[in-house]
Amino acid sequence: NAGVTQTPKFQVLKTGQSMTLQCAQDMNHEYMSWYRQDPGMGLRLIHYSVGAGITDQGEVPNGYNVSRSTTEDFPLRLLSAAPSQTSVYFCASSYSTGYTEAFFGQGTRLTVV
Amino acid sequence: KNQVEQSPQSLIILEGKNCTLQCNYTVSPFSNLRWYKQDTGRGPVSLTIMTFSENTKSNGRYTATLDADTKQSSLHITASQLSDSASYICVVSGDSGGGADGLTFGKGTHLIIQP
């Protein structure tokens, strides 16, 4: 039972490079989301999706794009990496919003130099 | 602005001892409150989830309490083990009104269990 799988676990980018963080879940969850975790701060919502074909912005969406072509996958794209995007990124999924448990991936540690 | 404040920021206790972590929140409207455990280098894992009508909820040696009137919650860990060393994050769910999960995360309490 894989749950939420994120790849890669670690990544170093140069400023201006682009990349895609992968997220896949095998629990048939409708709701998926991306968060970033920075030292001394709580997790902050970047983008979320309530189902295939539907995405929306969270609290800190600038510099990131998402798409949701299938229920299982929710990739996060960095368009032109900046040092301010150095962070740990977590993908999460849940059956719905509200009183329902959210499952998190193991995270991707991204460093932009 | 919705906020979740946790205390203490960090805590060191001896193996076998009990401890209590605190969470105060100003999230409105309130839907539910969750406690997560995050091991170093891993994603958060759910411990408990409570609505306003639930005062206490247990998960093994972890017991969470909720006072929706004072907007306070606590997480009590009984007979601590070395594997309890982790960050404990309080998360409050409110109605964001826009489809998002409306989760507001605390900064976490970093707990270290010493042998």
Side-chain angles (χ1 to χ4, degrees):
Chain A
N1 194 0
V4 179
T5 303
Q6 289 183 237
T7 56
K9 289 198 69 175
F10 303 94
Q11 183 70 51
V12 178
L13 287 179
K14 293 182 179 179
T15 298
Q17 287 184 319
S18 62
M19 79 159 295
T20 299
L21 280 62
Q22 302 291 344
C23 175
Q25 54 92 7
D26 62 358
M27 296 172 283
N28 202 32
H29 285 166
E30 290 296 326
Y31 188 85
M32 296 187 73
S33 52
W34 277 101
Y35 292 90
R36 59 179 289 173
Q37 186 175 40
D38 299 296
M41 302 184 72
L43 274 73
R44 292 180 294 168
L45 181 65
I46 303 172
H47 284 286
Y48 67 95
S49 169
V50 298
I54 306 170
T55 64
D56 208 341
Q57 297 179 352
E59 179 185 357
V60 288
N62 292 341
Y64 308 96
N65 272 355
V66 292
S67 60
R68 184 96 179 268
S69 57
T70 67
T71 299
E72 294 78 18
D73 300 300
F74 191 43
L76 178 72
R77 297 183 186 86
L78 278 70
L79 308 174
S80 178
S84 61
Q85 294 179 304
T86 294
S87 186
V88 182
Y89 292 85
F90 289 100
C91 177
S93 77
S94 58
Y95 178 72
S96 66
T97 59
Y99 190 75
T100 178
E101 184 176 350
F103 295 85
F104 287 82
Q106 293 201 14
T108 295
R109 182 173 293 275
L110 175 68
T111 302
V112 182
V113 298
Chain B
K1 182 181 177 181
N2 291 338
Q3 286 189 319
V4 176
E5 300 289 340
Q6 293 187 242
S7 61
Q9 191 172 13
S10 61
L11 181 63
I12 302 174
I13 64 171
L14 293 176
E15 184 180 12
K17 298 296 186 182
N18 303 336
C19 67
T20 300
L21 314 180
Q22 301 291 342
C23 173
N24 296 338
Y25 63 92
T26 54
V27 175
S28 182
F30 173 84
S31 176
N32 58 79
L33 184 143
R34 308 142 186 243
W35 282 94
Y36 284 86
K37 178 186 179 188
Q38 185 176 20
D39 293 316
T40 300
R42 307 292 290 259
V45 175
S46 178
L47 294 174
T48 64
I49 177 171
M50 294 185 291
T51 66
F52 67 92
S53 61
E54 297 174 285
N55 301 117
T56 303
K57 201 156 195 178
S58 292
N59 179 356
R61 294 179 296 102
Y62 300 101
T63 299
T65 64
L66 173 63
D67 186 334
D69 291 332
T70 62
K71 300 186 177 180
Q72 296 179 326
S73 176
S74 65
L75 181 69
H76 186 74
I77 304 175
T78 304
S80 61
Q81 300 177 358
L82 297 178
S83 59
D84 292 330
S85 293
S87 286
Y88 291 84
I89 303 173
C90 177
V91 185
V92 180
S93 175
D95 180 6
S96 67
D101 56 19
L103 299 183
T104 302
F105 290 77
K107 297 177 183 179
T109 291
H110 186 51
L111 176 64
I112 297 173
I113 311 298
Q114 288 186 337

